[in-house]
């Protein structure tokens, strides 16, 4: 998580954008290329893919993210119940996962659903685990009944410290030491600094994760350093802080006034050109005495989290098992 001038985000893409905005505020004519950070764009209009690679300690220091790969899928209509878009997003997610996982035929995968299943915006991880094709037990006890290409996958939703009294990282470490997976995939809800990315963005990272860091509740890191095996993190921003929401709303109001104004366009243009991060800082200072660090989520979060959890689960199912299609997954889970 980057936290600078009280700007918080779990997304590497937003951390990169934040640093670019700071450089532009200093007078840069164009968005600067940051040393040690490589950005690549792909995808379609419906599914925009951005790959951020932090290649050096300089890049790590500039955007506040460990060296590694960060893939962001931005799907503005992800919240909608569109079957075609759902299938396309599952396939796009699985393709990016295959690129980053580097699995062998016999790789054992442990999927960890992080979060509190009693709090809907934080229940993404547990909901994903419930939609997975878990096969490790089948390959161990009835291997002849398992199709070729199916890898041993196991899953757990360990809860949170407030429920179990145990650090989640400690639980995961104990499981890893027992079953010795080749890779751990951790699913968690994230925080964003832009409203339009809430429930519409999926991030994949090969650098591990610190549960709760996006809302200032940092817990034990789950990574290669702590577990001894590679950790792939998948997250979706499900919440945004009140200051960000106010900041985005003010920008939308200014845009609307600027488009409709017959006079005073210069005044509205001046308001629009105020540095976004300075405006955020001011809003946060004004709100602090009244609401503190208020975290907000959309009212339709129940349906949206269910839908996104299904996308991630099936993206994982396709990526983790060779030759598996969405139809195969649906038959297996029936």
């Amino acid at each position: 998580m980057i936290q600078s001038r009280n700007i918080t985000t779990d997304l590497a893409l937003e951390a990169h954008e934040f640093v670019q905005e700071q450089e532009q505020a200093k007078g840069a004519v164009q968005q600067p290329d940051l040393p040690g950070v490589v950005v690549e764009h792909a995808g379609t209009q419906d599914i925009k893919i951005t790959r951020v690679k932090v290649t050096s300690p300089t890049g790590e220091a500039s955007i506040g993210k460990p060296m590694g790969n960060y893939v962001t899928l931005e799907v503005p209509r992800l919240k909608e119940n569109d079957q075609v878009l759902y299938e396309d997003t599952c396939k796009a997610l699985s393709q990016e996962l295959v690129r980053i996982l580097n699995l062998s035929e016999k790789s054992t995968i442990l999927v960890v659903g992080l979060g509190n299943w009693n709090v809907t915006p934080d229940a993404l991880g547990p909901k994903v685990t419930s939609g997975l094709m878990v096969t490790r037990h089948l390959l161990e006890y009835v291997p002849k009944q398992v199709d070729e290409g199916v890898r041993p996958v196991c899953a757990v939703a360990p809860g949170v410290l407030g429920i179990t009294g145990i650090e989640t990282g400690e639980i995961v470490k104990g499981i890893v030491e027992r079953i010795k997976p080749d890779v751990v995939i951790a699913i968690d809800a994230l925080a964003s600094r832009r409203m339009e990315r809430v429930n519409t963005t999926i991030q994949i990272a090969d650098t591990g994760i610190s549960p709760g860091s996006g809302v200032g509740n940092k817990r034990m890191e789950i990574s290669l350093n702590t577990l001894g095996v590679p950790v792939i993190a998948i997250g979706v921003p499900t919440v945004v802080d009140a200051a960000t929401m106010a900041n985005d709303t003010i920008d939308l109001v200014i845009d609307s006034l600027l488009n409709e104004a017959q006079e005073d366009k210069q005044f509205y243009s001046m308001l629009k050109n105020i540095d976004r991060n300075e405006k955020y800082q001011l809003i946060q200072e004004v709100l602090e005495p009244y609401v503190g660090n208020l975290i907000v989520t959309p009212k339709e979060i129940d349906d949206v989290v269910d839908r996104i959890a299904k996308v991630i689960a099936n993206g994982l199912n396709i990526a983790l098992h060779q030759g598996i299609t969405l139809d195969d997954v649906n038959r297996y889970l029936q």
Side-chain angles (χ1 to χ4, degrees):
M1 179 192 70
I2 183 173
Q3 184 165 357
S4 177
R5 287 191 189 174
N6 297 319
I7 302 289
T8 59
T9 180
D10 285 311
L11 300 177
L13 173 62
E14 291 188 340
H16 182 261
E17 289 174 346
F18 173 66
V19 176
Q20 287 188 319
E21 288 169 6
Q22 286 184 313
E23 293 300 318
Q24 281 188 302
K26 294 176 183 176
V29 178
Q30 298 179 338
Q31 290 187 337
D33 294 328
L34 302 179
V37 181
V38 179
V39 180
E40 176 185 342
H41 299 285
T44 65
Q45 184 175 354
D46 287 331
I47 305 172
K48 181 182 175 183
I49 300 172
T50 305
R51 304 183 185 110
V52 177
K53 185 173 185 178
V54 182
T55 60
S56 71
T58 301
E60 183 176 294
S62 67
I63 70 170
K65 293 289 182 182
M67 286 188 288
N69 296 284
Y70 303 83
V71 180
T72 306
L73 283 73
E74 296 180 84
V75 191
R77 296 192 296 114
L78 185 59
K79 295 180 287 186
E80 300 176 12
N81 191 18
D82 186 315
Q83 184 64 24
V84 174
L85 182 63
Y86 156 73
E87 293 179 1
D88 289 344
T89 307
C90 290
K91 293 173 184 176
L93 177 61
S94 68
Q95 289 167 1
E96 295 302 319
L97 283 167
V98 169
R99 286 170 56 98
I100 208 168
L101 278 168
N102 192 28
L103 299 174
S104 69
E105 283 189 24
K106 302 298 183 181
S107 293
T108 297
I109 302 102
L110 169 64
V111 181
V112 181
L114 299 171
N116 187 342
W117 48 73
N118 295 319
V119 179
T120 305
D122 197 33
L124 178 69
K127 286 180 180 291
V128 169
T129 59
S130 68
L132 291 175
M133 291 175 57
V134 288
T135 54
R136 181 173 176 268
H137 61 306
L138 300 177
L139 287 163
E140 182 175 351
Y141 296 113
V142 287
K144 293 182 180 180
Q145 297 181 25
V146 180
D147 293 338
E148 187 177 350
V150 173
R151 292 189 176 98
V153 174
C154 49
V156 62
V160 294
L161 180 64
I163 293 177
T164 65
I166 309 170
E167 279 280 6
T168 303
E170 294 175 345
I171 297 174
V172 177
K173 187 173 183 179
I175 296 172
V176 167
E177 290 174 351
R178 177 68 178 173
I179 70 170
K180 296 178 172 55
D182 296 289
V183 64
V184 172
I185 300 176
I187 320 294
D188 199 11
L190 307 179
S192 174
R193 64 182 288 256
R194 290 191 182 276
M195 286 195 304
E196 65 266 23
R197 290 200 172 111
V198 173
N199 295 328
T200 64
T201 303
I202 303 171
Q203 176 177 267
I204 308 168
D206 63 3
T207 57
I209 193 168
S210 296
S213 61
V215 293
N217 189 25
K218 190 173 181 179
R219 305 252 63 91
M220 176 180 169
E221 181 182 287
I222 298 174
S223 66
L224 175 63
N225 292 333
T226 59
L227 301 184
V229 297
V231 177
I232 305 298
I234 303 176
V236 175
T238 59
V239 297
V240 68
D241 70 315
T244 293
M245 186 172 64
N247 202 5
D248 285 351
T249 302
I250 290 171
D251 287 342
L252 290 171
V253 170
I254 292 173
D255 286 341
S256 177
L257 292 173
L258 189 58
N259 290 332
E260 295 177 5
Q262 301 298 323
E263 300 178 355
D264 294 330
K265 285 206 171 192
Q266 186 175 357
F267 172 72
Y268 294 126
S269 296
M270 180 192 69
L271 292 178
K272 185 174 177 61
N273 290 331
I274 295 175
D275 179 68
R276 175 182 172 83
N277 301 318
E278 296 292 346
K279 184 152 44 67
Y280 175 94
Q281 176 88 4
L282 176 61
I283 293 169
Q284 192 174 55
E285 290 174 359
V286 171
L287 290 177
E288 180 68 28
Y290 300 99
V291 298
N293 187 21
L294 180 65
I295 303 296
V296 184
T297 194
K299 67 177 182 179
E300 69 274 12
I301 190 66
D302 299 77
D303 292 336
V304 172
V305 166
D306 285 343
R307 193 171 299 125
I308 296 173
K310 188 177 179 182
V311 168
I312 295 175
N314 286 333
L316 280 167
N317 288 331
I318 299 170
L320 299 182
H321 303 292
Q322 297 169 295
I324 295 293
T325 66
L326 272 176
D327 290 337
D328 296 328
V329 172
N330 292 332
R331 284 195 295 270
Y332 176 89
L333 295 174
Q334 282 179 350

